[in-house]
Amino acid sequence: MKDNNEQLSAAKAEWLQTLDYDCRVNTINYWALRDQIRFGRLEGLAAKLYGFIKVRGWQKLGVFSADGLKRTVASFSTFVDWCGADFSDGGLKLAPGELFRILTNSIEYEQSADAAKALVQILDPVTLEACSDSFSKITAGHACTYGEHWEEVEQVIEQSIHNPALQLNQEVVGPEPTKPRANSIPAVLDRLHRYSLSPKLCKQRGTTQVAVKDAYQQLLDGLVRPTTALRIAGLLPPSKSATKSIYMVKDPKEAAKRILKVVGQNDAAEIAEQLKTLLAS
């Protein structure tokens, strides 16, 4: 008698055969990419990602949940939407900056450079502009170490920023696009971007554009998770389990406001005195 895992594997294989050829290929390649990223296996990852980007595999791929109850065909409007979606929805659960850094950890320098170039070219102009500084810093160091392949990545970043028309077309040709979950990376990125452009929205929530832009940048770079980014932006209250946590920003005035809000006037004054003492020493 087959155990549950064997039954699920058989059901998965049977369901896969019901998909059309392109969707089936995209799905198999996605599963391979997802598992390599989840378990930190970098060998061959760059080549798989490059191929997936070139065929825009996120526009039509199958989603088969771990319990086998969810079996559907997903379609994502953009690369960022797919990349940031949860594993259970057919994504990689990564911000663009995280995926870019993973590529730089590969010793397959030529393949990882090709995948990095494809990643840069598939990003929409707004996301690319926001990521360009961090991408350029990472790439500059890699170019010094590994030479011409990563020097070409530097050139592609520069060209794509100044000539968005050179970017790969992202037009969705699959089914109705999958809507990102409320607290997923793409949904939070979209929310933060909207707030970063609107002083009115920020004022309504008692925050500032500076704080929101800082949170947006950190999430894009993969330095924080979506919920933390919302707290940094001032769009969520501090966690109940860490009520004394203070999410800092680079703007001194905004940082001071946050300290005052979290610890109160007396403790904030004591912190100020301690800072004066430390700076004087």
Side-chain angles (χ1 to χ4, degrees):
M1 184 174 177
K2 292 183 177 180
D3 63 22
N4 287 340
N5 286 336
E6 289 176 324
Q7 290 175 358
L8 273 175
S9 295
K12 195 175 185 180
E14 184 179 348
W15 170 76
L16 194 62
Q17 294 305 312
T18 67
L19 306 177
D20 67 55
Y21 177 78
D22 289 341
C23 186
R24 188 160 66 245
V25 171
N26 291 343
T27 303
I28 292 170
N29 289 338
Y30 161 69
W31 286 342
L33 270 172
R34 177 198 62 193
D35 289 346
Q36 282 195 255
I37 286 172
R38 287 176 68 183
F39 301 112
R41 298 195 298 265
L42 296 183
E43 186 178 358
L45 175 66
K48 288 188 183 74
L49 179 63
Y50 176 81
F52 198 81
I53 290 175
K54 285 297 183 182
V55 300
R56 299 165 183 78
W58 56 86
Q59 293 184 350
K60 188 165 62 171
L61 73 157
V63 177
F64 189 100
S65 63
D67 57 11
L69 297 178
K70 181 178 180 179
R71 308 178 189 187
T72 187
V73 174
S75 180
F76 296 90
S77 299
T78 67
F79 173 84
V80 174
D81 283 353
W82 165 70
C83 190
D86 291 344
F87 293 129
S88 59
D89 292 327
L92 297 181
K93 205 175 181 180
L94 292 173
E98 289 177 282
L99 185 55
F100 196 84
R101 284 197 300 277
I102 287 172
L103 291 174
T104 65
N105 290 329
S106 171
I107 61 171
E108 297 167 335
Y109 312 125
E110 185 173 355
Q111 293 92 334
S112 62
D114 286 341
K117 285 185 282 188
L119 190 161
V120 168
Q121 290 176 304
I122 204 64
L123 293 178
D124 62 277
V126 171
T127 303
L128 178 60
E129 184 177 2
C131 288
S132 60
D133 283 347
S134 58
F135 280 8
S136 295
K137 288 175 184 175
I138 295 170
T139 306
H142 235 53
C144 289
T145 307
Y146 303 118
E148 62 178 317
H149 298 304
W150 278 86
E151 288 172 3
E152 291 174 6
V153 180
E154 284 188 293
Q155 294 168 8
V156 169
I157 293 172
E158 191 68 21
Q159 291 168 358
S160 297
I161 291 169
H162 293 99
N163 191 350
L166 293 176
Q167 291 176 290
L168 299 176
N169 178 20
Q170 290 206 60
E171 181 183 356
V172 174
V173 294
E176 186 69 21
T178 303
K179 187 177 180 180
R181 294 194 186 199
N183 287 326
S184 65
I185 291 172
V188 174
L189 281 172
D190 180 65
R191 185 179 176 188
L192 291 174
H193 185 248
R194 284 189 289 108
Y195 272 80
S196 73
L197 298 175
S198 174
K200 182 179 179 180
L201 284 175
C202 290
K203 187 175 181 180
Q204 288 173 350
R205 295 301 300 271
T207 188
T208 66
Q209 286 176 282
V210 172
V212 174
K213 287 177 181 177
D214 182 60
Y216 176 68
Q217 190 66 57
Q218 289 194 51
L219 182 55
L220 266 180
D221 290 341
L223 302 178
V224 296
R225 304 314 299 169
T227 302
T228 303
L230 289 172
R231 290 197 172 106
I232 293 171
L235 301 179
L236 273 185
S239 169
K240 290 181 180 179
S241 61
T243 55
K244 293 298 182 182
S245 295
I246 302 172
Y247 299 97
M248 302 301 290
V249 291
K250 293 178 182 178
D251 180 71
K253 187 175 181 180
E254 179 62 28
K257 284 181 180 178
R258 292 184 181 204
I259 292 171
L260 186 61
K261 183 177 180 180
V262 172
V263 304
Q265 189 169 347
N266 292 336
D267 286 343
E270 178 61 27
I271 290 172
E273 288 300 321
Q274 292 297 328
L275 281 172
K276 287 179 183 178
T277 302
L278 289 172
L279 289 170
S281 62

